[in-house]
Structure formats: structure tokens, C-alpha cells
Amino acid sequence: MSKLKMGSLAFMIDEIKGKKHLIRLKDGVRFSTQYGFIEHEAIAEAGDGGVAYTQKGVAYRVFYPTYSDYIMHIKRRAQIIYPKDSAAILMSCDIRGGQRVLESGIGQGAMSIAILNTLGGKGELVSCEIREDFASDAAHFIHEFYGEAPNHSIIIGNVYEGFDGVFDRIVLDLPEPWHVVKHCKEGLTNGGIMVCYLPTILQAVTLVETLKASGIFEELETFEITKRPWKIDGRSVRPEMWTYNHSAFLVKARKVEPMPVRETVKKEEPEDAPEETHEEEI
Ligand SMILES: C[S@@+](CC[C@H](N)C(=O)[O-])C[C@H]1O[C@@H](n2cnc3c(N)ncnc32)[C@H](O)[C@@H]1O
């Protein structure tokens, strides 16, 4: 069933240049384009996946926006986490319904929407943000795309100074996430996962060194995600000409109980010992 109705969002793509527009359908309003206009009522009637025409006969494909359509086309004031990275964060952090998740900062709420979608109404998301204006932008975008989120709260504050509560997962997208590591001793459950999004490798190095020195994090991973789109058009089959620039490094770590201090016993291996195999236990 089409989700398109008056009051809902619509995503319009013209047939000439493929230019994309995110709009909200309102009674008595026209969608004005360089190729003429379309009444919003006609767009709602076309429905999700349908087609609507300007009075000059130019076709626009009509969709209900996906998450990516929405967050890539909002008018934003802060950098957001792009879908290729937010997808990796959700998987690395193993976010699922029922968990308590802390996120900081909220920025424009792009990552918050991805987390709320994944929680599916179960569990809780707390977003800690230092700037009230960004918190209010994010609340607007979350409400516009996701709707009411009774399991989401926004706390205004400096997460470097600490946070209340104990969480199963922590997602950080701010300049100096290493200041949060010390608060994880009390604020992240053992076995809990933290994933940080860091534009520069120097940030990643400082964070990894802090995580290692803390003694309460193991299973560290540092990586980046590259998306390489290809053009497939007849005999022209090649990577797209434009390059997809670096976005950020992701650092994942898992909270542990500190290892008790004990005498280490070094096992001596016989020289011709067969190589150990690692079979997975099910
Ligand atoms: C790049 S934006 C986050 C974007 C967000 N992940 C998204 O996808 O929309 C970084 C945010 O961190 C916030 N921030 C920076 N330092 C902070 C701190 N110490 N405590 C809480 N928030 C902070 C900034 O105000 C900004 O909103």
C-alpha cells in the first residue's frame, strides 16, 4: 500500500537529469520545477513508485523516501554519518531490540534514526548532545522521518564529563571520544560494545591507545568502509568516474572485566607439533 498521502514526505526524480527532490505534500500546494509544476494532490495520487507529470508533460518518478533518500537530502547544519558507515556501525555494534544504547553527539539525528529503526521500538536510545540547536534540529528530523519515539531521549550535556546510566552499546561521533573511555568502567556493561566514528587516523590512534591503556577493552578493530559504485550500461561497464572520498575510520572495542593479575605459564610446544586447527563450536 502506498504510504504517500497529503502530509507525508515524497521523493521526486525527474526523467531528464535524474535530479532528486525531497518534499512534503500539502493541500493546495504545487511542486514547482524548471520543467513546470505538479499539484501535490497529483503526486499523492501517483503513489509510491508511480509517475506524475508537470503541466508541460515532463515525468517525475514518485517515491516514498527511504532512510538514505531522506538523510542525504535534508538541509543540514552538521556533518552526518553516511549510510555506508551507519550500516557498518549497526552491524559492528550488534545493535538489536531490547538494548540500551547511548549515542553522542546527535548532530542532525541521522545515526539516531538508524539506531531507532534497528531497535524497532524495543530497548532505549539516549542521545547526549552538547549543542541545544543541534539537539533541536535532530529532534525535528527524527520526528519527521521516524515519527514518535517514546524510547528515545535527548540529554543536553558534555559527554566527556560523564553520563548517567549503564548501557549495552555506545556509539560516538565527536572529536575526542577517548575522554569517554574512563566513564565506560561504570557506564558500559561487560561484554558491551563501543563503536566510534573518526574522520582522521590520528584520532583513531589516540583512541586505540587510550582503549588499550584502560585495561577494560578488548577485541579492538579499526577499519574503514569503501563503497565503489559501478556503471553498467550496454558495453560500458566500469567503475563510476567520480571517486568516493574517505569519510571516516571506525574503531570498535568490547568492554571486559580487567584480567586478574597472575603468574603466566609459558607452554612449551614440541617441535613437530601439528598446527592447531580452530574448528567452530556450534
Ligand atoms: C558530526 S556531529 C554528529 C552527527 C551524527 N552522528 C549524525 O549522524 O547526524 C558531532 C556532534 O557531536 C556534538 N559534540 C561535540 N562534542 C561533544 C561533547 N563533548 N559532548 C556531547 N556532544 C558533543 C556536536 O555538537 C555535534 O552535534
Side-chain angles (χ1 to χ4, degrees):
M1 200 180 77
S2 170
K3 286 184 192 163
L4 283 179
K5 54 181 188 297
M6 301 315 284
S8 75
L9 294 165
F11 195 59
M12 310 290 293
I13 309 172
D14 80 60
E15 66 172 342
I16 295 174
K17 289 189 181 155
K19 205 166 167 220
K20 297 167 173 170
H21 308 262
L22 180 69
I23 61 170
R24 182 171 285 286
L25 301 180
K26 292 182 191 146
D27 282 322
V29 174
R30 286 172 170 176
F31 170 54
S32 296
T33 81
Q34 63 187 113
Y35 311 114
F37 64 83
I38 313 175
E39 302 288 350
H40 280 197
E41 278 85 356
I43 296 170
E45 270 168 34
D48 195 3
V51 61
Y53 298 88
T54 68
Q55 92 282 16
K56 291 182 182 167
V58 174
Y60 273 74
R61 185 56 73 191
V62 176
F63 288 115
Y64 187 82
T66 62
Y67 168 76
S68 300
D69 296 335
Y70 181 72
I71 63 131
M72 298 304 285
H73 288 85
I74 53 177
K75 289 195 177 65
R76 50 183 190 252
R77 290 194 284 171
Q79 182 57 43
I80 58 164
I81 297 181
Y82 291 146
K84 75 172 178 81
D85 291 319
S86 50
I89 291 171
L90 294 172
M91 279 295 133
S92 306
C93 220
D94 190 35
I95 291 177
R96 39 200 156 114
Q99 292 170 341
R100 287 203 78 204
V101 183
L102 174 75
E103 168 207 36
S104 188
I106 199 169
Q108 305 294 277
M111 191 66 223
S112 328
I113 297 173
I115 295 171
L116 287 167
N117 274 337
T118 307
L119 289 177
K122 297 187 212 115
E124 190 187 351
L125 172 65
V126 175
S127 304
C128 181
E129 170 56 51
I130 205 163
R131 283 182 55 166
E132 288 197 31
D133 54 343
F134 285 169
S136 128
D137 283 359
H140 164 77
F141 290 130
I142 293 165
H143 189 263
E144 178 162 66
F145 187 75
Y146 181 85
E148 292 296 326
N151 60 337
H152 182 215
S153 45
I154 302 177
I155 310 288
I156 302 296
N158 181 350
V159 77
Y160 299 161
E161 290 169 3
F163 51 87
D164 291 331
V166 183
F167 295 87
D168 305 300
R169 302 291 185 257
I170 297 182
V171 176
L172 300 177
D173 175 13
L174 29 70
E176 299 183 354
W178 46 91
H179 297 307
V180 181
V181 171
K182 57 183 176 291
H183 305 303
C184 292
K185 197 168 179 198
E186 302 296 331
L188 180 61
T189 52
N190 281 339
I193 300 172
M194 175 160 80
V195 174
C196 303
Y197 178 89
L198 303 147
T200 77
I201 194 63
L202 291 179
Q203 289 171 298
V205 169
T206 308
L207 175 62
V208 167
E209 283 170 352
T210 311
L211 287 165
K212 284 182 177 171
S214 74
I216 54 163
F217 279 99
E218 288 179 12
E219 297 293 305
L220 268 64
E221 281 179 46
T222 302
F223 56 97
E224 60 180 319
I225 302 290
T226 304
K227 179 177 170 181
R228 191 182 185 206
W230 279 63
K231 182 185 174 195
I232 300 182
D233 191 7
R235 304 309 298 162
S236 170
V237 179
R238 54 166 175 75
E240 291 285 359
M241 288 302 194
W242 52 274
T243 55
Y244 211 78
N245 291 329
H246 165 79
S247 53
F249 299 96
L250 299 181
V251 175
K252 173 203 161 183
R254 195 146 193 204
K255 164 88 186 303
V256 292
E257 227 172 69
M259 195 72 88
V261 183
R262 67 207 162 112
E263 207 179 309
T264 47
V265 185
K266 201 162 182 255
K267 248 191 359 190
E268 266 187 41
E269 299 281 345
E271 266 176 29
D272 58 350
E275 221 170 83
E276 220 176 283
T277 55
H278 298 276
E279 278 171 26
E280 279 179 24
E281 280 179 28
I282 296 170

